[in-house]
Amino acid sequence: MRGVILYGPPAAGKDTVTAALRDLDPRYVLFERLKVGSGRTRGYRMADETTVDQLHRAGDVVWENHRYGARYVVDRRFLAQQLSDAVPVVHLGQRPAVAAVTRAVPDASWWVVYLWCPRDVAERRIVARHTGDTDARLRAWDDTEPLPDADLTIDTAEVSPHAAAERIHRHVLADGRSTVPNA
């Protein structure tokens, strides 16, 4: 059971690199977090407050955060299912979330990749999306802490999505934690 965590601020390229991974190997699948709230629905499993509250009572919530007026949840059962069936790619932007997810399924092997780009590049990408929440996303960019202990760090302003996906893919398949330097 292997999984990939793409950690980084908004507009660092998590969606784009995930698509490139999927193009390389169909075993990579986006882990669609549960989402309660408005806004984008693609890439999420939409839920209601009652469903998330039930997951909390069952002890099945691995991580929850609130951003952009919505509630986002990583749930253990779906995560374990995807780890059994594929190589899930989990998008995260909070350091404590990385530890929570990697502990959630103890038998899984995780590759943690810190995707980053300069703030001005992120701003251009955010504006180009036309989501109307540029200020909120830039605040989230500012709030996203670096992740110096990631298995791999990639500046997506310097590395193409395809090249980034190839680096990640090579590490995940080789499981070269002890021999592959941080790229």
Side-chain angles (χ1 to χ4, degrees):
M1 291 193 310
R2 296 180 187 198
V4 175
I5 293 174
L6 296 182
Y7 173 88
K14 294 182 289 290
D15 287 332
T16 306
V17 171
T18 299
L21 280 167
R22 180 75 177 164
D23 289 346
L24 278 176
D25 191 320
R27 290 177 288 184
Y28 293 104
V29 296
L30 172 65
F31 175 82
E32 294 183 332
R33 290 177 292 163
L34 289 169
K35 179 180 179 180
V36 178
S38 61
R40 188 174 94 172
T41 58
R42 185 178 54 81
Y44 298 100
R45 293 175 292 134
M46 299 306 292
D48 58 25
E49 297 285 346
T50 302
T51 300
V52 173
D53 292 343
Q54 289 171 343
L55 288 170
H56 268 291
R57 283 193 297 279
D60 211 22
V61 172
V62 171
W63 177 258
E64 178 177 341
N65 69 297
H66 300 256
R67 190 165 269 166
Y68 316 124
R71 189 175 180 189
Y72 301 90
V73 173
V74 175
D75 57 312
R76 185 180 331 276
R77 208 168 297 148
F78 190 65
L79 184 62
Q81 176 190 338
Q82 280 204 322
L83 282 161
S84 296
D85 299 339
V87 179
V89 180
V90 182
H91 296 181
L92 300 173
Q94 300 81 26
R95 287 182 68 171
V98 174
V101 169
T102 57
R103 283 191 315 259
V105 183
D107 296 338
S109 175
W110 289 98
W111 269 96
V112 179
V113 181
Y114 177 30
L115 296 181
W116 183 87
C117 66
R119 191 177 194 276
D120 64 312
V121 172
E123 184 172 11
R124 284 195 302 273
R125 291 174 179 175
I126 292 166
V127 169
R129 291 179 185 171
H130 302 290
T131 56
D133 59 355
T134 300
D135 291 339
R137 290 187 185 274
L138 288 174
R139 277 192 303 278
W141 191 97
D142 293 337
D143 291 344
T144 305
E145 298 177 72
L147 194 65
D149 56 346
D151 297 308
L152 196 59
T153 298
I154 299 172
D155 179 344
T156 61
E158 300 292 328
V159 177
S160 74
H162 178 75
E166 284 184 340
R167 284 183 189 176
I168 296 164
H169 183 64
R170 183 175 62 242
H171 293 315
V172 169
L173 289 184
D175 200 20
R177 291 179 189 272
S178 61
T179 59
V180 179
N182 200 10

